[in-house]
Amino acid sequence: MKSLYESQLTSLPLINKGKVRDLYDVDDKHLLIVTTDRISAFDVVLPTPIPGKGRVLTDTAIFWMKKAIDILPNQLADDINIADILTPDELEQLQGRGMIVKKLKPLPVEAIVRGYLVGSGWKEYKKNQTVCGISLPEGLQKAEKLPEPLFTPSTKAEIGDHDENISYDEVVKLIGAEKAKKVKDYSLALYKMASEFAAERGIIIADTKFEFGEDENGVIHLIDEALTPDSSRFWPAKTYQVGKNPDSFDKQYIRDYLESLDWDKTAPGPELPEEVVDMTLLKYQEAQSRLMENS
């Protein structure tokens, strides 16, 4: 499959370009999300694409959204077909990287759920015995399962800026008490459903992030991406050990590579060598295969 670093559609107007996704206007009620093969790390979009990654993310997100329909509605639109709005050449360009969604108002919060002590959470715990300001028992080890999953929201940063952790009280100030409770409850319910499902397929979901939007009636929907290797830490259960840096089926592999470089984590990011690109794609495909096989 050819890589798609940047979509070039002329049938629809481009209205936004995110770190990974290009957003096009379809009509008054619909948008087209194109998930490109761009990859970001430390909030910087890297110059090297991962060929086929966009299709993996699109398929995986659609899979989870349909699976979570008993928990809450989602952004997927079923009243319009992508083949009816794009030319054959444009469909060939996307190669399964596009999905048509409802126009919803995004909530200005990234809803992160942490089930294991790792990454920035582990660094904070070692200093303060907290994760995002939440006190935890003493004596926990790196990569250990937390006593219960934590809801640790953050702001949604613009490209080039870094997301910032915020407290639950700050979420209440941003979107109101009722919506804040719904976002927290939905996030924890989604994590519980997904982590139990993944565990049956040999995958630990260490943490993940969700995004939500609301329709004109204030009904909250699951939007953007959900439970993909871009937005989650997926660990193979077979090799997982408490106290050790786990293997992963996500972009932690790229983060680890970048940490080995003399790079200050500001744009522009470094090019990725071919072997890092190939291994990253294999990890993403392995996660998709395990999760979606026979489902």
Side-chain angles (χ1 to χ4, degrees):
M1 179 180 286
K2 293 180 181 177
S3 66
L4 180 69
Y5 191 81
E6 187 176 13
S7 61
Q8 302 285 345
L9 305 182
T10 57
S11 298
L12 301 171
L14 176 70
I15 56 175
N16 187 52
K17 182 178 291 186
K19 293 171 187 170
V20 174
R21 287 161 186 78
D22 298 341
L23 197 62
Y24 291 86
D25 195 22
V26 175
D27 58 32
D28 290 345
K29 295 184 178 180
H30 303 92
L31 299 169
L32 170 65
I33 297 177
V34 177
T35 305
T36 70
D37 295 335
R38 297 192 296 269
I39 192 163
S40 69
F42 307 111
D43 295 311
V44 174
V45 179
L46 303 179
T48 313
I50 309 296
K53 178 177 85 82
R55 184 167 187 168
V56 172
L57 297 190
T58 299
D59 289 347
T60 306
I62 291 172
F63 168 78
W64 282 116
M65 286 186 180
K66 290 180 176 178
K67 194 158 191 62
I69 198 65
D70 290 340
I71 297 174
L72 81 165
N74 61 62
Q75 67 183 350
L76 299 177
D78 57 8
D79 57 345
I80 188 170
N81 193 317
I82 192 170
D84 295 333
I85 61 172
L86 297 181
T87 67
D89 286 347
E90 288 172 334
L91 288 171
E92 176 64 22
Q93 179 191 148
L94 298 191
Q95 290 187 298
R97 297 178 179 89
M99 60 179 168
I100 299 176
V101 301
K102 306 164 192 170
K103 276 188 177 174
L104 300 164
K105 180 184 177 183
L107 298 179
V109 174
E110 291 207 335
I112 298 167
V113 180
R114 302 170 189 260
Y116 289 74
L117 190 56
V118 71
S120 62
W122 169 241
K123 290 178 183 177
E124 181 185 334
Y125 177 80
K126 285 193 294 182
K127 288 182 181 178
N128 305 319
Q129 204 178 306
T130 61
V131 170
C132 298
I134 301 170
S135 296
L136 291 173
E138 62 179 75
L140 298 179
Q141 298 182 60
K142 183 178 186 179
E144 186 168 349
K145 187 174 183 178
L146 293 168
E148 60 183 28
L150 300 179
F151 174 69
T152 59
S154 74
T155 59
K156 186 165 173 56
E158 297 296 323
I159 294 178
D161 294 334
H162 294 284
D163 298 339
E164 292 186 10
N165 294 330
I166 57 176
S167 68
Y168 181 74
D169 287 344
E170 288 173 297
V171 177
V172 171
K173 288 178 184 176
L174 278 173
I175 61 176
E178 184 180 353
K179 287 178 190 171
K181 184 178 187 306
K182 284 183 179 179
V183 164
K184 179 179 180 179
D185 290 348
Y186 281 145
S187 299
L188 292 171
L190 287 165
Y191 179 78
K192 182 177 186 295
M193 177 275 295
S195 58
E196 289 174 356
F197 179 86
E200 295 172 355
R201 287 150 180 81
I203 291 179
I204 293 169
I205 303 179
D207 54 41
T208 192
K209 75 175 178 68
F210 302 106
E211 294 190 40
F212 301 95
E214 57 183 341
D215 64 15
E216 64 274 11
N217 298 315
V219 176
I220 294 177
H221 292 60
L222 182 59
I223 67 167
D224 196 57
E225 63 176 325
L227 296 154
T228 72
D230 257 19
S231 64
S232 316
R233 280 189 174 92
F234 291 153
W235 297 341
K238 191 174 182 180
T239 57
Y240 164 72
Q241 285 184 282
V242 174
K244 295 189 176 181
N245 204 32
D247 297 328
S248 67
F249 294 132
D250 52 59
K251 66 179 178 182
Q252 187 60 42
Y253 178 77
I254 282 182
R255 292 191 196 100
D256 291 343
Y257 167 75
L258 294 171
E259 291 274 21
S260 73
L261 305 179
D262 183 19
W263 175 51
D264 64 0
K265 298 176 184 174
T266 61
E271 293 277 357
L272 300 176
E274 186 176 349
E275 60 268 23
V276 173
V277 171
D278 292 345
M279 182 57 72
T280 300
L281 182 59
L282 283 174
K283 286 175 177 289
Y284 276 50
Q285 290 172 331
E286 173 75 4
Q288 179 190 24
S289 174
R290 288 199 189 194
L291 291 170
M292 295 174 62
E293 189 174 25
N294 300 322
S295 295

